[in-house]
Amino acid sequence: MGRLKQKGKAGAAKAYITRSTAVKKLQCSLADFRRLCILKGIFPREPRSRKRANKGSSAPTSFYYTKDIAYIAHEPVLKKLREHKAFAKKLSRALGRGEWSSAKSLEENKPVYRLDHIIKERYPTFIDAVRDIDDALCMIFLFASLPSNERVSPSLIENCSRLASEWQLYVMHTHALRKIFLSIKGVYYQAEVLDQTVTWLVPYQFTQNIPTDVDVRVMLTFLELYQTLLGFVFFKLYTDAGLVYPPPQDVEKDESGAGVGAFKLQESKPVQPLAAPKAKEVEVNGKRVSSKDVRHTIKTIGTASAVDGDGDVDMEATDSAVPEEDEEEFIPQPSTSHTDETTSLPTLKTLSALPQSTSSRLFAPCTFWLSRETSRPIFEFIVRSFGGRIGWPASSGSGSPFDETDESITHVIIDRPVVERPDETEAEKERRRSRKYVQPQWVADCINAGKILLEEPYLQGKTLPPHLSPFGEHAGAYDPTVGLREDVDMEDAEEAEEAGDADEGESKVNEDRPEKVALKAAAVAEDEVALRAAELEAEAAGVDYGTFEKEAKKAQKKTKQVKEAAEGEEDMNKMMMSNKQRKLYERMKHGEKKRAAERQTLEQKKQTIEKERKKRNRIH
């Protein structure tokens, strides 16, 4: 007889646990439970049957894996949180009784926990940590731009600003920046670090206000984890690049608004290798014999005995006959089964030694000057990351490497309308003619295109072309610049047709007669409106109605058969799929239809705008 199963003791009821039950089991508060789940990377799960998981109850609640809760129960941070709770009770009691010495002693021995072991658990390899720093960088740059208040301390904001500057210094030093997008939310950056793509968002430098309905405690818990993670990652990146971490900061430059320029990169001193232990030497019969000679002699006793019998072994002969051992080197052998595969495996050294693309030094021949209305931290980071030189006025902060009168300036990034200055001197006019005054979008578009674009469409005061996102490109996506290219192609095609011979034009007219065009339109008509339009076109071309109806029915029948065959083949393929694969396929098709509808809507809007623009041009 099988073992009887008790209700609520097996299956989903045992595998899942509610949040309230988990809090009671861990004997902690709800806030501490949330903090532990964030630090350990544990999140709620959705069971297949909520009623079974909740032991017959259908009340709404959050579920967790029972194994995850048992995993948290042995966490050292939980022990420290309990100690901190006891410390808070003792401290409040001492302060209430006026025992100031006891309160001071308790404050000095306040329990503090560290998150180093959690970082090592969640990221077993360094590449895993680099791959997961996107959210950490976004959070760091967000808090670096926030004002301090009773919930966010000034020291926390200062630490976030330091981490943000350290990351920007590393990206500028290694020229790892690849893509930029100027959006409404802020500036999206994308860099390649150790062959891993890292994307983060930096908000604009506006006055920020922390909303009152935002739970800052949850964000601070994430920030606490991210600060520890970035400390580990930055130390490893700086060390591998041969730099000192943390980089020293000039306090005077930082107070004068130097920003990233307040930090200075220093190369770390190479570590001297440990000296090899000297071999011990003894004197035997007036000769120096080292421990290395003894080892060689022991190894060759068997061979010498086999050749010479049981005679004594001569130390000098043995030492001279045995060659010195070389260090064993790993020689990669090609695969016998897959001859095309490489034998070398990627390591941190090989990834850091990957050749950089030519676009990483895109602005090396250029020298920029920032106008005072442009954002200096953004463009200083961008230009220096691509090998360019940049300067700015004193009103934007200290630390500019040159002033506005420098003769090497090639581009001026300006975002003001064109204003004529009657009091301009000849030297200033000559300086203005020798420089290109471009709008800030030109810098970002050059980086995304991978080359230096023409400055003409981006000159001061001109209407800018559309700034497209370089992220998330997919086949069939809407491109607002396609219409411009199509117009040019149509003009070229018209010129080629006008320049063509008359005989070729006549043969083309014979091939594309109006009768055939009308019949083709009837074959591809999907509704009655399109069929009626094709009928009118055939009538205008002089085609008999009976002939048109006959040919249209024949063409539509053929088109319908082809469509039904394609649909039947698709249905057969869906029948061979599993339930999971079929649902995934249907979601993909739904997404394709949705993107196609969005693209069609944008194209219709564009056509409407173009018609209105042409109408206005005709009126003027």
Side-chain angles (χ1 to χ4, degrees):
M1 182 177 178
R3 189 173 183 180
L4 296 177
K5 291 184 179 180
Q6 296 180 358
K7 186 178 180 180
K9 298 293 184 180
K14 185 178 180 181
Y16 294 93
I17 185 173
T18 61
R19 188 179 66 177
S20 57
T21 308
V23 171
K24 291 179 182 177
K25 186 176 181 179
L26 296 176
Q27 298 179 3
C28 62
S29 62
L30 182 59
D32 290 342
F33 177 74
R34 287 176 178 170
R35 178 180 295 180
L36 286 171
C37 289
I38 292 172
L39 296 178
K40 300 292 288 186
I42 295 172
F43 48 90
R45 307 284 182 166
E46 184 64 27
R48 291 186 177 180
S49 176
R50 298 179 63 89
K51 194 171 183 180
R52 290 181 181 178
N54 207 8
K55 300 178 182 179
S57 175
S58 58
T61 184
S62 300
F63 293 94
Y64 293 85
Y65 280 147
T66 306
K67 290 184 177 180
D68 289 343
I69 303 303
Y71 178 56
I72 296 180
H74 302 283
E75 174 58 39
V77 177
L78 177 60
K79 182 181 178 181
K80 289 291 184 180
L81 292 177
R82 291 170 180 167
E83 292 178 359
H84 188 275
K85 189 175 182 180
F87 156 78
K89 289 182 180 180
K90 294 178 182 178
L91 183 62
S92 62
R93 186 185 302 115
L95 292 175
R97 293 176 178 177
E99 299 174 354
W100 310 115
S101 59
S102 300
K104 183 178 180 182
S105 177
L106 287 172
E107 185 66 27
E108 292 175 353
N109 298 320
K110 179 180 178 180
V112 179
Y113 63 86
R114 299 178 63 87
L115 304 179
D116 300 351
H117 64 285
I118 295 181
I119 299 298
K120 294 178 183 178
E121 289 175 4
R122 295 186 62 174
Y123 306 102
T125 63
F126 180 63
I127 297 298
D128 294 334
V130 175
R131 192 184 296 118
D132 201 41
I133 64 172
D134 296 5
D135 294 338
L137 291 174
C138 293
M139 186 74 74
I140 289 295
F141 279 94
L142 173 63
F143 272 86
S145 62
L146 292 180
S148 61
N149 56 15
E150 64 276 1
R151 294 186 290 177
V152 183
S153 63
S155 60
L156 182 65
I157 296 175
E158 183 181 357
N159 188 38
C160 291
S161 302
R162 181 184 59 82
L163 289 172
S165 300
E166 290 173 359
W167 171 251
Q168 289 182 332
L169 280 172
Y170 176 79
V171 173
M172 288 188 295
H173 177 74
T174 57
H175 304 286
L177 195 61
R178 292 294 176 267
K179 295 179 181 179
I180 297 168
F181 180 54
L182 308 174
S183 72
I184 299 176
K185 294 181 180 180
V187 184
Y188 285 90
Y189 298 102
Q190 189 175 90
E192 288 185 6
V193 179
L194 298 180
D195 206 26
Q196 301 296 323
T197 302
V198 181
T199 308
W200 71 99
L201 172 65
V202 178
Y204 293 115
Q205 288 185 317
F206 297 133
T207 303
Q208 305 289 342
N209 293 320
I210 303 176
T212 56
D213 57 344
V214 174
D215 192 354
V216 183
R217 293 181 300 171
V218 176
M219 299 181 67
L220 291 177
T221 305
F222 277 103
L223 184 64
E224 185 180 9
L225 177 69
Y226 290 154
Q227 284 179 327
T228 310
L229 170 63
L230 293 180
F232 277 99
V233 173
F234 291 171
F235 174 79
K236 178 65 175 173
L237 291 176
Y238 272 70
T239 305
D240 290 345
L243 302 174
V244 175
Y245 184 82
Q249 182 183 14
D250 192 340
V251 179
E252 295 182 358
K253 288 185 177 180
D254 184 59
E255 292 177 353
S256 59
V260 182
F263 294 86
K264 184 178 180 181
L265 293 177
Q266 293 181 355
E267 295 184 359
S268 59
K269 297 180 180 179
V271 180
Q272 296 293 336
L274 296 176
K278 295 182 179 180
K280 296 181 180 180
E281 296 184 354
V282 295
E283 187 173 350
V284 180
N285 298 329
K287 296 180 181 178
R288 291 281 182 178
V289 179
S290 63
S291 58
K292 186 178 180 180
D293 298 334
V294 176
R295 287 195 300 269
H296 287 169
T297 305
I298 294 173
K299 289 180 181 179
T300 54
I301 285 178
T303 306
S305 300
V307 176
D308 300 333
D310 296 330
D312 296 334
V313 180
D314 189 5
M315 292 289 295
E316 293 182 358
T318 305
D319 190 27
S320 60
V322 177
E324 293 187 0
E325 293 181 354
D326 296 331
E327 293 184 0
E328 184 179 0
E329 295 182 359
F330 174 73
I331 301 175
Q333 299 294 337
S335 175
T336 56
S337 58
H338 303 282
T339 56
D340 298 335
E341 292 184 359
T342 57
T343 56
S344 59
L345 296 174
T347 60
L348 286 178
K349 289 185 177 181
T350 57
L351 290 176
S352 59
L354 286 174
Q356 296 182 353
S357 59
T358 56
S359 61
S360 62
R361 295 277 186 175
L362 185 64
F363 296 137
C366 303
T367 302
F368 295 86
W369 177 260
L370 280 178
S371 184
R372 67 172 180 267
E373 73 278 355
T374 55
S375 178
R376 175 213 155 182
I378 294 175
F379 290 97
E380 180 187 5
F381 171 60
I382 293 173
V383 172
R384 289 180 59 184
S385 297
F386 285 88
R389 297 176 66 243
I390 188 168
W392 53 87
S395 59
S396 299
S398 63
S400 177
F402 50 87
D403 55 5
E404 191 176 2
T405 60
D406 196 318
E407 298 295 333
S408 63
I409 298 175
T410 59
H411 294 80
V412 177
I413 302 176
I414 190 168
D415 201 13
R416 282 180 287 177
V418 179
V419 177
E420 295 183 359
R421 294 175 55 187
D423 56 343
E424 197 172 18
T425 62
E426 288 297 329
E428 292 177 346
K429 290 181 180 179
E430 182 64 26
R431 189 187 307 150
R432 177 179 289 273
R433 285 191 291 266
S434 64
R435 299 172 181 177
K436 295 288 185 179
Y437 287 77
V438 295
Q439 300 185 51
Q441 184 181 325
W442 178 80
V443 180
D445 288 351
C446 286
I447 293 171
N448 296 334
K451 59 182 179 180
I452 300 294
L453 300 176
L454 294 176
E455 295 88 353
E456 186 67 25
Y458 301 89
L459 292 180
Q460 181 184 7
K462 285 201 171 185
T463 302
L464 294 170
H467 179 56
L468 307 179
S469 172
F471 310 112
E473 299 177 358
H474 58 271
Y478 172 70
D479 188 359
T481 61
V482 170
L484 303 175
R485 292 196 295 266
E486 287 181 353
D487 295 341
V488 174
D489 295 341
M490 289 176 63
E491 292 177 0
D492 295 341
E494 290 176 358
E495 293 177 359
E497 287 179 0
E498 293 175 358
D501 297 331
D503 297 337
E504 294 180 359
E506 291 179 0
S507 61
K508 188 173 183 180
V509 170
N510 292 331
E511 290 176 0
D512 298 338
R513 290 180 296 178
E515 298 88 348
K516 290 188 176 181
V517 173
L519 293 176
K520 288 181 180 179
V524 298
E526 296 181 355
D527 52 4
E528 294 181 358
V529 178
L531 185 61
R532 179 61 179 166
E535 181 182 346
L536 293 175
E537 188 178 355
E539 185 179 353
V543 180
D544 184 43
Y545 177 73
T547 306
F548 171 78
E549 187 177 8
K550 183 178 179 181
E551 294 292 334
K553 287 183 178 179
K554 189 186 297 184
Q556 286 185 348
K557 184 178 181 181
K558 187 176 180 181
T559 305
K560 186 177 180 181
Q561 289 177 354
V562 174
K563 189 175 181 180
E564 288 179 353
E567 290 179 354
E569 185 179 358
E570 183 179 356
D571 293 338
M572 290 293 293
N573 292 335
K574 289 173 67 175
M575 289 174 60
M576 299 297 294
M577 296 179 183
S578 63
N579 190 21
K580 184 177 181 180
Q581 291 174 343
R582 184 165 57 255
K583 289 182 179 179
L584 178 61
Y585 176 75
E586 290 175 356
R587 286 198 298 268
M588 291 171 59
K589 298 296 289 185
H590 176 72
E592 290 178 0
K593 291 180 181 179
K594 186 177 180 181
R595 287 191 293 269
E598 291 176 354
R599 179 181 178 183
Q600 186 177 3
T601 304
L602 291 172
E603 288 178 351
Q604 290 176 355
K605 289 182 179 179
K606 183 179 180 181
Q607 291 176 2
T608 305
I609 293 172
E610 289 294 330
K611 287 180 182 179
E612 292 178 356
R613 184 179 61 82
K614 291 180 180 179
K615 188 183 295 185
R616 288 196 302 268
N617 292 338
R618 284 197 297 267
I619 293 173
H620 293 298

